[in-house]
Amino acid sequence: MNATASWTISGLYFEACNCELVCPCYSAQPPTYGFCEGNCAWHVKQGRCGDVPLDGLNVIMVQRCDGLMRETQWQCWFYIDDRATKEQFEALKRIFTLTDGGHLAKIFGKLWAVQRVERATIEMKLDGWQHRASILGKLGLAVGLLKPEVGPTLCRLPNVPGVAALAEEDWFDDGMMKFDHKSKNALTTTFEYHSDQ
């Protein structure tokens, strides 16, 4: 695969964090408790990097940010679907670690501090606005409790309507980092990223 190949991915995105609903980060305010940590998941419904198809693959990012999220670096750990071929893994790795530039790099190039990228068996269930992702014994993320009085909010990536909700699950434990933020902020939306900024 050509390292400079053009790419495009689109699909469903959902996240949860330790902030109270609706997360103040969406409106460029400091996190509720001064830091933000949680799980972020992407399901690629359609995608391609050069000649490499990326349809149906999943990526999860675990993040921690100790400050205002638009000004402070995030520590980021990535898990890429172990169903991916070598070429698909490398393509997704380059896209999400911002190596290949494009939309994500334009927004997060100075913010995401990638700590690790590895393969994982990711289980994902998608149903309307209710989404669930898990890595057995390590991670759980579920958007499931609707708060209709909150109404649609905005997801910054890109600025499209999203459903504000509460997390049924938002936990992580890899032996070194551990959190559990059940019943805190969650969001589900769609995404479309491409190599052209």
Side-chain angles (χ1 to χ4, degrees):
M1 182 185 69
N2 187 333
T4 60
S6 62
W7 56 267
T8 180
I9 54 174
S10 62
L12 299 172
Y13 170 80
F14 55 110
E15 67 179 26
C17 70
N18 63 304
C19 287
E20 298 296 333
L21 186 70
V22 170
C23 182
C25 301
Y26 302 151
S27 55
Q29 300 300 309
T32 303
Y33 301 106
F35 72 97
C36 185
E37 66 181 5
N39 297 311
C40 307
W42 292 264
H43 171 68
V44 180
K45 295 182 74 173
Q46 294 182 312
R48 180 169 293 276
C49 183
D51 295 328
V52 178
L54 302 173
D55 299 5
L57 297 174
N58 304 305
V59 177
I60 294 178
M61 178 179 74
V62 180
Q63 64 81 21
R64 164 89 186 204
C65 178
D66 293 299
L68 187 61
M69 297 195 79
R70 298 190 186 188
E71 298 177 358
T72 308
Q73 277 202 328
W74 314 10
Q75 304 301 303
C76 303
W77 295 263
F78 284 94
Y79 296 90
I80 295 176
D81 204 322
D82 67 357
R83 296 176 301 135
T85 65
K86 179 181 178 181
E87 291 77 14
Q88 290 172 326
F89 176 87
E90 289 301 322
L92 289 171
K93 179 179 178 180
R94 293 183 67 84
I95 290 170
F96 282 93
T97 61
L98 315 181
T99 305
D100 275 356
H103 183 71
L104 287 169
K106 182 179 180 181
I107 295 175
F108 292 112
K110 296 181 180 180
L111 295 176
W112 285 3
V114 178
Q115 305 300 301
R116 185 175 66 243
V117 182
E118 61 185 81
R119 287 180 176 269
T121 302
I122 299 172
E123 295 291 335
M124 197 167 287
K125 296 181 180 179
L126 309 170
D127 183 15
W129 59 270
Q130 295 176 304
H131 304 322
R132 182 178 299 271
S134 63
I135 299 173
L136 184 63
K138 182 175 287 189
L139 179 152
L141 169 61
V143 180
L145 303 177
L146 189 61
K147 300 286 284 187
E149 68 273 20
V150 174
T153 186
L154 287 178
C155 177
R156 190 168 180 238
L157 258 185
N159 286 326
V160 295
V163 175
L166 293 175
E168 284 187 30
E169 286 187 85
D170 182 31
W171 64 272
F172 178 73
D173 185 354
D174 70 349
M176 292 178 288
M177 182 179 180
K178 183 177 182 178
F179 60 75
D180 190 341
H181 302 303
K182 182 179 179 180
S183 299
K184 297 294 186 178
N185 173 72
L187 175 79
T188 178
T189 187
T190 59
F191 73 90
E192 183 174 350
Y193 313 146
H194 45 80
S195 52
D196 298 327
Q197 298 183 6

